[in-house]
Amino acid sequence: MLKIWQSVSRTRIALWVITAAAIGFLLLVALAAWILRDQIYQSLLDPGEPYQTYIRPDAPDYSANTAWYARPAVQTGQAAVFFVHGTTYSGGSEWNAAIDAEEPANLVIEEQLPNFAAPFANAGAIYAPRYRQAALYTFMNLREDGVAARLTASSDVRNAFVAFLELIGDDTPFLIVGVGQGGLHSLAVLTEDVAPRPDLRRRLVAAYILEHPLPLDLLQNQLADISACETPSDFRCVYSYVSAVSENEDRIRYLTERTMTWASGGALARVEGRGLLCVNPILGARTTDYAPARLHRGGAQASGFREGASPAALPAQTGAQCIDGVLMTELPRSRSLYRPRRLAEHFRLPPFNLFYEDLRTDVGQRAAAFMPVYTDENMQAPPMGQPEEIEDAPVIPIPDRADGN
């Protein structure tokens, strides 16, 4: 009997050891998966096909209404706003999303237009093109395939801007607003299409490049004729910030080192070492001064709001300060303005706008300062050109017919 009991005990101990080892192994696997979760997620989003052999979705036809999220039928006499949305397609099968892909399009309509386009509606009518956006996956690495996908998206947006200019006519002033990935493509429009043309620079109220880095070297080169928005009353200027909380080191590193953005010659280059433009949205100025939360006009979670509906802004939620080119913010008081806990969150735009009311006020001030000046300029006679020298013409006498000559 004793031998049987000893045998059973040894079997139980062995089972306990095996079970404990299995549990330990599973815990180690779970821990490794948690630590490497972004890398695992990234590998799942890889389209698995070189861009050279990839068949891209059909290019948009910007003469059709279906190529626009918003295209007003009639101009109102105000400025027009060219708005470029950010990334809403994660990837997994495509490098670039088709413009009619349902889930990415719904996220633009439900989240990005209400949160990021709506604050600019008081300055003018919103024109928002659909474009073959690059997948989130392309921003998670520096692969040449991802760069090619981003350039395809930029090409679409630049074509949309040409159509936008035709729609609004030759005299209507305009704003350019790009957020996230849309900031990259808006920067392409600004540097390649607006900056070289004095007639377009004169019509530019301001360009807002939000949550995408704008390197300072562009202001010294391609954007030398378009200054930064130094004060709240400046216009014909460029306004930009990228925001982060100090605890989010991954996002700060991504924004200041690994992000690729527009460079000379129509190429993309990393932002590391280039310095970044930072305009504090609470102060509306390019400054390193700290803006306390009591000056914060309000953030808003406007997801699901339709055109014309205004969300209730939550004021005094965060302080902000530009530090080394990054707008460092404080954790908001309201949990509705907390970033969600999603994989690869530091590559994404949040489903709210922390500076909704600050931006709405800012654009209103700049448009109010711009419009009287622009109207006055249009009423003045065009400047005279350079004087031209006229050579003396030889005098040829008219024959006197009475002399028969």
Side-chain angles (χ1 to χ4, degrees), residues 297-315:
R297 292 180 179 85
Q301 203 286 72
S303 297
F305 278 71
R306 295 303 181 182
E307 185 178 356
S310 298
L314 301 173

Side-chain angles (χ1 to χ4, degrees), residues 361-394:
T361 300
D362 186 275
V363 70
Q365 290 175 335
R366 295 189 198 280
F370 171 88
M371 292 304 290
V373 174
Y374 183 71
T375 300
D376 185 62
E377 289 173 348
N378 287 346
M379 292 177 64
Q380 297 175 11
M384 294 182 63
Q386 295 294 324
E388 297 181 7
E389 294 186 2
I390 301 176
E391 297 181 0
D392 292 335

Side-chain angles (χ1 to χ4, degrees), residues 29-368:
V29 170
L31 179 62
W34 173 254
I35 294 172
L36 300 174
R37 60 192 182 279
D38 279 353
Q39 291 90 328
I40 295 171
Y41 182 58
Q42 179 176 334
S43 66
L44 293 174
L45 298 181
D46 187 346
E49 180 180 3
Y51 203 80
Q52 292 85 345
T53 59
Y54 169 64
I55 300 176
R56 288 170 287 179
D58 293 337
D61 174 8
Y62 290 111
S63 66
N65 284 329
T66 53
W68 299 82
Y69 288 106
R71 190 177 79 163
V74 180
Q75 270 295 312
T76 61
Q78 292 180 287
V81 181
F82 184 72
F83 175 81
V84 188
H85 69 80
T87 308
T88 59
Y89 174 64
S90 296
S93 59
E94 304 282 348
W95 289 103
N96 295 91
I99 65 168
D100 58 354
E102 184 175 2
E103 183 177 355
N106 286 342
L107 287 173
V108 173
I109 295 167
E110 293 291 326
E111 290 187 0
Q112 298 211 6
L113 294 181
N115 283 299
F116 297 104
F120 297 89
N122 66 331
I126 303 291
Y127 291 75
R130 296 174 182 254
Y131 67 96
R132 292 172 293 178
Q133 60 170 292
L136 177 69
Y137 172 76
T138 68
F139 296 92
M140 299 174 72
N141 56 70
L142 302 175
R143 289 178 57 180
E144 291 184 4
D145 296 308
V147 172
R150 283 176 260 184
L151 291 175
T152 293
S154 287
S155 176
D156 282 356
V157 173
R158 291 182 64 189
N159 289 335
F161 183 70
V162 172
F164 165 75
L165 292 177
E166 293 176 354
L167 289 168
I168 67 173
D170 294 336
D171 298 319
T172 303
F174 60 86
L175 298 94
I176 297 173
V177 181
V179 59
Q181 176 178 170
L184 166 65
H185 309 317
S186 296
L187 195 52
V189 168
L190 192 64
T191 56
E192 303 299 318
D193 302 311
V194 176
R197 292 181 52 179
D199 61 319
L200 294 183
R201 295 200 306 268
R202 193 177 75 85
R203 294 165 58 189
L204 177 68
V205 179
Y208 290 78
I209 309 299
L210 307 178
E211 300 296 4
H212 183 82
L214 195 162
L216 296 178
D217 59 73
L218 290 181
L219 292 172
Q220 299 162 357
N221 296 298
Q222 293 102 309
L223 298 179
D225 292 321
I226 302 176
S227 60
C229 296
E230 301 283 351
T231 73
S233 59
D234 289 344
F235 51 83
R236 291 173 178 149
C237 59
V238 59
Y239 175 120
S240 180
Y241 64 78
V242 288
S243 65
V245 294
S246 58
E247 294 82 4
N248 196 337
E249 296 180 359
D250 287 341
R251 178 166 171 79
I252 295 170
R253 189 178 304 111
Y254 168 68
L255 294 173
T256 59
E257 298 176 11
R258 294 183 59 80
T259 300
M260 299 188 76
T261 192
W262 215 251
S264 60
L268 299 184
R270 288 173 61 179
V271 298
E272 186 175 14
R274 298 169 70 184
L276 304 179
L277 174 63
C278 184
V279 176
N280 190 319
I282 297 178
L283 302 175
R286 184 186 182 188
T287 177
T288 57
D289 292 347
Y290 170 70
R294 60 182 173 80
L295 299 180
H296 177 231
R297 292 180 179 85
Q301 203 286 72
S303 297
F305 278 71
R306 295 303 181 182
E307 185 178 356
S310 298
L314 301 173
Q317 290 292 310
T318 183
Q321 184 176 18
C322 290
I323 300 175
D324 295 331
V326 176
L327 184 71
M328 305 303 296
T329 63
E330 298 161 351
L331 194 65
R333 296 176 182 178
S334 172
R335 289 189 173 275
S336 66
L337 299 177
Y338 281 19
R339 278 183 170 268
R341 296 182 178 276
R342 298 177 293 187
L343 289 171
E345 177 60 23
H346 60 274
F347 295 102
R348 302 176 187 265
L349 287 171
F352 58 81
N353 186 342
L354 187 57
F355 300 105
Y356 185 102
E357 194 65 19
D358 303 272
L359 290 168
R360 195 184 70 83
T361 300
D362 186 275
V363 70
Q365 290 175 335
R366 295 189 198 280

